[in-house]
Amino acid sequence: MDKLLEIQLSGWTATPRLPFILSGNAICMHTPSYSLVLGIIGCCLGRVVHAGEVKLGFKYKYDTAAQDMETRHRLEFDGKRIKKHSKGTDAYMREFHTSPKLTVWIDRLDWKAYFDNPIGTPSLGRSQDILKIDKVTIVRVSKIEKGNLGGSLLPFTTGVQAGGQLVQLAEAYLENNEVGSGRTPLASKVFISIPHDNGAEIIFNNLYETKEEIPVSFYLHEFVK
């Protein structure tokens, strides 16, 4: 593999929320998850993108983390139907990132037209965290053994010599056929979310580097099929 499709996106805010934290204040991961990036790609294509259709890598960075106070509308199930919670609404703090920049590399060069003219409006987190597509180009890449992986999400192994946040994530989701029945998580495993300002070089599998004046190294993730 010597060519990949590179998509550069940016926005004003982003909320790569730490999943499975369902009570208390909402906090962010250092990076988005692979399922979230798959959703961004699917939004641009105008359809659900299944994990086996694409290999992807990304680098993510932002200026700072800030907090919003939001109203939460609570619901309860009384055994027959879902209704408003008897205790009403409450307020909670939600963390978000400012000035996010996301660069995505995928092996589907034939999808370039979808990012030149996306069908949907991509967002990173909440519906108001809208992203704009700054640049879409086919880049030449080469495989490397080690590189600076700040702003990346790696499958965790005991041999990874990197500082970051360990998180249990499903790498993708499968949409259930019945409307309203939700999604089925696929391949839940532990990842390490590496902050963008971690400049340490890391030895890992599936590392690539762009052939540019200032090369960028990244990890290309292959989903479990």
Side-chain angles (χ1 to χ4, degrees), residues 71-178:
T71 299
R72 178 163 44 197
H73 294 270
R74 296 183 291 186
L75 305 173
E76 63 181 350
F77 183 61
D78 65 1
K80 296 181 179 178
R81 61 189 179 91
I82 296 176
K83 62 181 185 180
K84 290 184 178 179
H85 198 282
S86 58
K87 294 185 178 178
T89 63
D90 67 345
Y92 76 123
M93 302 301 292
R94 177 183 280 271
E95 189 177 69
F96 65 96
H97 294 163
T98 63
S99 301
K101 295 184 184 299
L102 175 68
T103 302
V104 178
W105 294 271
I106 59 176
D107 64 340
R108 295 297 301 264
L109 307 185
D110 55 318
W111 287 356
K112 183 175 183 299
Y114 291 105
F115 297 98
D116 288 330
N117 298 283
I119 293 175
T121 302
S123 62
L124 205 168
R126 301 171 296 177
S127 58
Q128 65 264 41
D129 298 322
I130 293 173
L131 296 175
K132 67 173 181 176
I133 298 176
D134 296 317
K135 187 177 180 182
V136 183
T137 184
I138 294 174
V139 296
R140 299 183 67 83
V141 298
S142 59
K143 201 162 188 178
I144 57 176
E145 293 185 354
K146 67 177 181 179
N148 180 343
L149 297 183
S152 301
L153 183 68
L154 303 181
F156 179 72
T157 65
T158 53
V160 174
Q161 300 293 319
Q165 182 181 38
L166 293 178
V167 286
Q168 178 89 35
L169 298 170
E171 65 173 15
Y173 289 86
L174 181 66
E175 294 287 340
N176 296 336
N177 291 327
E178 185 179 350

Side-chain angles (χ1 to χ4, degrees), residues 5-42:
L5 183 61
E6 179 182 283
I7 307 109
Q8 296 180 13
L9 307 104
S10 65
W12 286 349
T13 61
T15 313
R17 190 173 69 85
L18 184 67
F20 311 125
I21 304 296
L22 301 178
S23 62
N25 297 330
I27 55 177
C28 288
M29 295 199 300
H30 296 304
T31 66
S33 63
Y34 285 104
S35 61
L36 181 51
V37 179
L38 268 183
I40 292 172
I41 295 172

Side-chain angles (χ1 to χ4, degrees), residues 203-215:
I203 298 174
F204 206 73
N205 297 322
N206 280 359
L207 298 189
Y208 287 83
E209 184 178 75
T210 58
K211 292 185 175 180
E212 301 172 313
E213 184 175 349
I214 303 177

